[in-house]
Amino acid sequence: MNCVILAAGLGTRLRGVSDSKPLTPVGGVPLIEHVIRRATAGGAYRFVVVTGYLAERLEPFLVGLGERLALPISFTRAEDWTRPNGFSVLAGSARIEGDYLLLMSDHLFDPEIARRLIGAPSQMADVVLAVDRHVDGELVDPADATKVEVAPDGTIVRIGKELERYNAIDTGLFRAGPELAEAIRAVIAAGGSGSLSAGVQRLADAGLARTMDVDAARWIDVDDARMLALAEGLVASDALMGSAA
């Protein structure tokens, strides 16, 4: 399956450690390389990375990584990478056809999550989001996490960082189709922010956004120094499925 990876943002919360979040080393390996290796282990085979901030450093690395791993890794620059991440989704999805795996450049994960998303049936849903029901887990930062209210049938009721009522956490791993980009464009046309979550909410309102529980599989959003330290420990102990490390 094709894979789009969002890597355009400023990464301000890691700036004291690294000025380029995608190139921040974890166990001696840049975050973006971890993500691509783990996605490949999960079944992705072609990558489009959306770049922006410090693209002039990230893009040459991606060229070398593609040669080193013998993988088709391309990149596209978001026109205005300071805008919400839905604009990066639009830039990346324009380079591929059909369904794709959508990932964040700063989320490490068990490849089994990607494998299950790729294998998930796409009927009755335009987007499938991998969610974690362990909302108070050690690896979850409640101040930064995107929350999800999931209905008993697995559909998304609401999604957003400021939800007061929620029963799951957004892991940053999606299986999406062309309809996600259409939903984001509709949000922008209506005067909305154009965020990824807003696009997912629009599909959820139409009953077209579902979830997949990661169960015991582990993941981590490496968004600040504390999470980076935790990620170092997880990689060193093989706790995120070292077959992809």
Side-chain angles (χ1 to χ4, degrees), residues 1-7 35 39 44 48 50 85-86 88-90 92-93 96 99-105 107 109 114 117-118 127-130 170-177 180-181 184 196-197 200:
M1 177 173 280
N2 290 314
C3 181
V4 172
I5 302 175
L6 307 188
V35 172
V48 176
V50 184
N85 57 359
S88 289
V89 175
L90 296 180
S93 61
I96 59 176
D99 286 3
Y100 57 95
L101 193 64
L102 175 61
L103 306 176
M104 311 297 125
S105 65
H107 287 212
F109 53 89
L117 271 177
I118 289 172
V127 65
V128 180
L129 167 61
D170 172 353
T171 68
L173 287 86
F174 301 76
R175 174 174 172 164
L180 176 58
I184 293 170
L196 169 56
S197 290
V200 173

Side-chain angles (χ1 to χ4, degrees), residues 36-88:
I36 289 174
R37 285 180 177 271
R38 291 173 182 279
T40 301
Y45 56 76
R46 177 173 174 263
F47 296 85
V48 176
V49 181
V50 184
T51 63
Y53 179 66
L54 292 182
E56 66 278 5
R57 287 180 52 191
L58 178 57
E59 290 168 359
F61 175 82
L62 294 171
V63 171
L65 181 63
E67 294 172 352
R68 181 155 47 90
L69 300 182
L71 282 173
I73 302 173
S74 63
F75 50 82
T76 184
R77 290 195 189 187
E79 290 186 6
D80 186 351
W81 45 264
T82 64
R83 302 179 81 175
N85 57 359
F87 288 86
S88 289

Side-chain angles (χ1 to χ4, degrees), residues 21-36:
K21 184 187 281 190
L23 295 177
T24 301
V26 178
V29 176
L31 267 169
I32 189 73
E33 181 170 343
H34 276 292
V35 172
I36 289 174

Side-chain angles (χ1 to χ4, degrees), residues 163-245:
L163 296 189
E164 294 184 1
R165 185 177 70 244
Y166 59 94
N167 52 11
I169 298 295
D170 172 353
T171 68
L173 287 86
F174 301 76
R175 174 174 172 164
E179 298 84 1
L180 176 58
E182 294 174 7
I184 293 170
R185 290 191 192 96
V187 168
I188 295 168
S193 68
S195 70
L196 169 56
S197 290
V200 173
Q201 184 65 63
R202 185 177 179 89
L203 293 176
D205 291 342
L208 297 172
R210 301 191 63 84
T211 60
M212 183 199 79
D213 196 333
V214 301
D215 298 320
R218 306 186 82 182
W219 65 282
I220 185 170
D221 176 3
V222 187
D223 203 42
D224 57 22
R226 184 178 78 86
M227 289 301 186
L228 177 59
L230 288 172
E232 291 273 4
L234 290 169
V235 168
S237 65
D238 215 22
L240 287 171
M241 299 294 289
S243 61

